[in-house]
Amino acid sequence: MAGDKETLLGMGFDPARVEWALKATGNRGLQPAMDHILENESKPVPSMDAVSESAPAASNSSGAMDVDDDEDMEALQHLGVAGAGAVEAKSIKCSQCGKIFKNTALANYHAEKSGHDQFEESTEEVKPLTEEEKKQRLEELREKMAEKRAKKAAEDAIEAKANEHIRRKQGKDTHKIKEELQAKEVIKEAEQKRRDKVEDAKARAAVKAQIEADKKARAEKAAREKALREGREITDAPGTAGPANPGPAAAAVSSGVAGKDYAETRLQIRMSTGGQPYTATLPSDSPLMAVAEYLAGQTLNVDIDTVSFAQHFPRKTFSRSDFSKSLRELGLTPSAVLIATP
């Protein structure tokens, strides 16, 4: 109706939503249209062609209700209205609250909202609202609309607060997990640095020991060679195995063997393919084959039947026949650095 439309537009509602509400409620009145607007204000306005139009209540030209139609009779019976009598009905009255309605559509709407189910036909005609009544009705509708909007705003605020609480909790949990992972990485890196430092220290100590042993062996060898040239008696360092007065032949043999009789030999084994060196301490009487077996036990890349060993200083490559000789016989005591080729 034009009056309802103008009232809704005057209340500040969007024209498209007003058209939608009036069509969807079948122009049953201001209250149903406004309820429809408030209930669907968060939804987008559909195309008017897609909106199903509720059929408005029928009335005859004199303003009286036409109850001869089967559908209207069924609507009246559904509302609990007795069958139409001889008296011409001009409205429907709610027996429970006394309100009167000019058509069955408005009576149905009242029944849905109030839960009332007792209605009767009435000869009382629904009079048009006066200007004062219209203003009062409009003010009531505005207050109701403001109340509904305030209620919805409060519900939205509670929901937003709950969502914010969930979001913050998730953010804190994610930050905590990230900090724990970073702490674990720091600990892991520190442990790796410590292990690397220990391994480097061991490697430097082994190299230093090898250098000292080589220097000592070279010095002893030079001393023997000088004694042979000068025809002097060769005197071994304390603890050196061999006769007290070796002959020239024995001196020649002993000159190619490293000095003292050490019970154990410390070896640093480096792979020709690179990687971390292996450190082992073996009895000096162990054959070179024991070194191959030790290395094969440390890495699957080594086969004891094909592996070979060499020294960079003094430069020497050991043959397969040397694998049966002891570390002492090969001059590797008390320590040596071997290069292994798989």
Side-chain angles (χ1 to χ4, degrees):
M1 294 183 179
D4 294 339
K5 182 177 180 179
E6 291 175 359
T7 301
L8 292 170
L9 292 175
M11 294 174 70
F13 289 117
D14 180 67
R17 292 191 177 275
V18 172
E19 292 287 350
W20 178 22
L22 292 173
K23 185 174 181 181
T25 58
N27 290 306
R28 286 182 295 178
L30 187 62
Q31 182 65 49
M34 196 184 76
D35 287 344
H36 182 276
I37 292 174
L38 295 177
E39 290 171 0
N40 298 276
E41 64 179 348
S42 60
K43 299 178 182 178
V45 179
S47 171
M48 288 299 103
D49 296 335
V51 178
S52 58
E53 183 175 1
S54 298
S59 60
N60 57 27
S61 59
S62 63
M65 294 184 60
D66 183 1
V67 296
D68 294 333
D69 186 83
D70 291 339
E71 292 182 1
D72 287 337
M73 287 297 295
E74 290 177 4
L76 291 172
Q77 290 172 3
H78 175 70
L79 292 170
V81 179
V87 180
E88 183 180 51
K90 295 185 178 180
S91 63
I92 298 175
K93 182 178 182 180
C94 177
S95 303
Q96 293 172 263
C97 66
K99 289 184 179 180
I100 60 173
F101 307 95
K102 62 182 178 181
N103 54 46
T104 56
L106 293 176
N108 267 320
Y109 181 79
H110 174 74
E112 292 172 2
K113 292 294 183 180
S114 63
H116 297 169
D117 57 1
Q118 297 297 322
F119 295 83
E120 60 184 6
E121 292 180 347
S122 174
T123 58
E124 184 177 352
E125 185 176 358
V126 179
K127 298 179 180 179
L129 297 175
T130 64
E131 290 299 322
E132 186 63 28
E133 290 174 334
K134 285 182 180 180
K135 290 181 180 180
Q136 183 179 357
R137 179 63 172 162
L138 182 59
E139 186 62 28
E140 290 175 355
L141 291 175
R142 283 177 175 168
E143 290 177 358
K144 188 174 182 180
M145 179 183 68
E147 182 181 349
K148 285 187 176 181
R149 284 181 172 172
K151 183 178 179 181
K152 188 175 185 305
E155 292 174 352
D156 291 344
I158 294 173
E159 183 179 358
K161 186 176 181 179
N163 292 337
E164 179 65 16
H165 177 72
I166 294 172
R167 186 189 66 78
R168 288 185 178 181
K169 187 177 184 302
Q170 290 176 342
K172 288 181 180 178
D173 292 343
T174 302
H175 184 66
K176 183 178 179 181
I177 292 172
K178 187 176 180 180
E179 286 183 342
E180 290 177 353
L181 290 175
Q182 289 176 346
K184 288 180 180 179
E185 286 296 325
V186 171
I187 294 172
K188 185 177 178 181
E189 290 178 1
E191 290 179 349
Q192 184 62 43
K193 288 181 179 179
R194 182 182 59 80
R195 287 194 296 267
D196 292 344
K197 188 175 181 180
V198 171
E199 291 297 327
D200 289 343
K202 288 181 179 179
R204 286 195 298 269
V207 172
K208 185 177 180 180
Q210 179 64 37
I211 291 173
E212 291 298 326
D214 291 342
K215 285 170 64 177
K216 191 171 184 179
R218 288 197 302 272
E220 291 176 355
K221 183 179 179 181
R224 290 189 183 94
E225 290 176 351
K226 184 177 180 181
L228 286 173
R229 287 195 303 270
E230 295 177 354
R232 292 185 291 104
E233 180 181 354
I234 299 175
T235 304
D236 290 329
T240 302
N245 297 306
V253 173
S254 63
S255 65
V257 181
K260 295 182 180 180
D261 185 12
Y262 290 92
E264 292 184 339
T265 299
R266 180 179 177 83
L267 297 174
Q268 185 183 87
I269 308 167
R270 298 179 180 179
M271 302 298 297
S272 61
T273 54
Q276 288 289 337
Y278 299 92
T279 303
T281 301
L282 301 174
S284 298
D285 292 329
S286 300
L288 187 59
M289 177 61 74
V291 181
E293 292 172 350
Y294 164 80
L295 192 59
Q298 301 300 313
T299 174
L300 298 176
N301 297 329
V302 171
D303 186 345
I304 60 176
D305 294 327
T306 58
V307 66
S308 62
F309 296 103
Q311 271 186 304
H312 282 172
F313 187 85
R315 185 173 296 277
K316 182 178 180 180
T317 301
F318 298 96
S319 64
R320 296 302 299 182
S321 61
D322 292 330
F323 275 57
S324 60
K325 297 179 181 179
S326 68
L327 302 178
R328 181 182 291 109
E329 290 175 324
L330 296 173
L332 298 176
T333 57
S335 63
V337 177
L338 294 178
I339 308 302
T341 302

